[in-house]
């Protein structure tokens, strides 16, 4: 009886073994830990906003975990009494909402025109729009300031809105044009056979199909305008600045009033987070639509 000898099984390559281990529960645990670590500053800001100024100056925010009696809502009551902070929130809304709506509306119309309408120089005009994407905001601050000063828009809410709309439109047009161009031509031709004009095509076919991309654009624009401080610091009205500038002025003028700064900073952060989570499903659909045919 002869013994048979088998060849040793070849070991799997190291990258394959790493990929196999990464697909298990270890990766999920690592991602959860990374997410929790990423949330530490936010949790610290929230707990600091719920502590009295005496407790804040005496110890770190993590002391709340062992002494929950320190938590109080007096800071938020004091925040509502601060006319600078509460008025700045209203000013931020007055800037952010029009700047977001105008970019979404104008960008949608222009994106549809560049994707499905024929007009002279369409490709060249689109290349010009793409070229504007590389223009940094800092380059335009001085000439736009002189222009706004000449036409009466400097240090006005309308001036800040116009600036954000002007710099938000190139990205909006680029994003929506590429998304609208992926709509099957057969759908548009079928709608035209049913008697739909350009307005009907845009409102009944393009807008429903482009909802995820439009929602993604709206979230990006809203977050950019809400969190902006450079443009607001230069062009906004110094008497009614947005929340970012108001918090910066509070730090400069009253460096120890953390009982106002902490809740103000947390409120200014919670609002865009609420907007993001409200449109999270549309945002994910818009992002995935560009990767999956």
């Amino acid at each position: 009886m002869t013994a048979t000898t088998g060849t040793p099984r070849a070991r799997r390559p190291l990258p394959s073994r790493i990929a196999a281990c990464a697909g298990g529960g270890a990766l999920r645990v690592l991602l959860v830990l990374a997410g929790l670590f990423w949330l530490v500053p936010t949790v610290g800001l929230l707990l600091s906003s719920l502590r009295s100024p005496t407790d804040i100056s005496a110890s770190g925010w993590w002391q709340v975990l062992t002494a929950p009696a320190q938590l109080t809502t007096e800071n938020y009551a004091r925040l509502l009494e601060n006319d600078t902070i509460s008025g700045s929130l209203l000013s931020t809304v007055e800037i952010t909402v029009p700047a977001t709506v105008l970019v979404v509306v104008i960008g949608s119309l222009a994106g549809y025109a560049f994707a499905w309408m024929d007009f002279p120089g369409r490709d060249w005009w689109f290349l010009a729009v793409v070229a504007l994407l590389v223009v940094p905001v800092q380059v335009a601050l001085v000439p736009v300031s002189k222009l706004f000063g000449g036409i009466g828009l400097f240090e006005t809410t309308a001036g800040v809105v116009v600036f954000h709309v002007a710099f938000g439109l190139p990205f909006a047009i680029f994003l929506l044009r590429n998304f609208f161009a992926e709509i099957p031509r057969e759908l548009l031709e079928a709608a035209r056979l049913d008697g739909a004009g350009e307005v009907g095509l845009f409102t009944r076919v393009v807008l429903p199909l482009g909802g995820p991309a439009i929602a993604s654009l709206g979230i990006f624009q809203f977050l950019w305008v809400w969190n902006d401080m450079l443009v607001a610091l230069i062009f906004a009205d110094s008497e009614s600045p947005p929340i970012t500038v108001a918090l910066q002025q509070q730090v400069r003028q009253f460096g120890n009033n953390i009982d106002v700064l902490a809740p103000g900073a947390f409120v200014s952060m919670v609002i865009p987070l609420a907007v993001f989570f409200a449109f999270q499903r549309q945002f994910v659909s818009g992002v995935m639509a560009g990767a999956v045919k």
Side-chain angles (χ1 to χ4, degrees):
M1 187 175 189
T2 59
T4 60
T5 59
T7 58
R9 180 180 299 177
R11 299 188 62 184
R12 297 173 62 185
L14 180 60
S16 300
R17 284 180 286 162
I18 294 177
C21 294
L27 179 61
R28 296 187 180 91
V29 173
L30 181 62
L31 292 176
V32 170
L33 293 177
L36 293 176
F37 180 76
W38 193 267
L39 289 175
V40 168
T42 304
V43 175
L45 180 61
L46 172 61
L47 295 180
S48 296
S49 67
L50 294 172
R51 303 178 73 205
S52 65
T54 304
D55 294 331
I56 293 175
S57 60
S59 60
W61 60 265
W62 51 88
Q63 298 297 327
V64 175
L65 301 178
T66 57
Q70 295 181 0
L71 297 178
T72 178
T73 59
E74 293 180 359
N75 293 341
Y76 286 92
R78 192 176 295 110
L79 177 69
L80 296 177
E81 298 173 357
N82 190 310
D83 295 335
T84 302
I85 300 297
S86 58
S88 65
L89 286 172
L90 179 60
S91 299
T92 307
V93 173
E94 293 175 350
I95 292 172
T96 305
V97 173
T100 302
V101 172
L102 288 174
V103 166
V104 169
V105 172
I106 299 175
S108 300
L109 294 172
Y112 171 76
F114 279 116
W116 294 108
M117 296 180 66
D118 293 326
F119 53 89
R122 182 185 67 174
D123 296 335
W124 288 106
W125 282 109
F126 184 69
L127 289 177
V129 171
V130 173
L132 292 175
L133 289 172
V134 302
V135 178
V137 175
Q138 293 80 358
V139 173
L141 292 178
V142 174
V144 174
S145 298
K146 294 181 179 179
L147 174 63
F148 282 3
I151 61 179
L153 288 179
F154 193 73
E155 288 197 351
T156 62
T157 300
V160 182
V161 172
V162 170
F163 191 97
H164 281 304
V165 171
F167 275 86
L169 278 177
F171 175 74
I173 296 172
F174 174 78
L175 174 69
L176 296 181
R177 182 265 179 190
N178 292 337
F179 189 91
F180 292 163
E182 296 296 327
I183 298 176
R185 183 180 295 272
E186 291 77 9
L187 291 178
L188 300 180
E189 292 178 349
R192 286 193 176 96
L193 291 176
D194 291 338
E198 297 296 341
V199 176
L201 289 175
F202 178 73
T203 56
R204 299 180 182 179
V205 179
V206 175
L207 283 185
L209 295 177
I214 295 174
S216 300
L217 171 64
I219 291 175
F220 277 123
Q221 180 69 10
F222 185 92
L223 296 180
W224 177 51
V225 178
W226 183 277
N227 295 319
D228 169 74
M229 190 178 79
L230 176 62
V231 177
L233 188 63
I234 296 175
F235 296 100
D237 187 0
S238 57
E239 298 297 330
S240 57
I243 185 64
T244 53
V245 178
L247 291 175
Q248 185 268 343
Q249 291 175 349
Q250 292 284 311
V251 173
R252 183 179 59 189
Q253 295 175 2
F254 313 103
N256 58 350
N257 60 342
I258 189 65
D259 55 318
V260 173
L261 294 175
F266 186 77
V267 170
S268 68
M269 181 179 61
V270 164
I271 294 177
L273 281 177
V275 173
F276 174 80
F277 285 115
F279 296 95
Q280 182 182 14
R281 181 175 300 178
Q282 291 82 356
F283 176 77
V284 174
S285 301
V287 172
M288 295 300 296
V292 181
K293 294 293 184 181

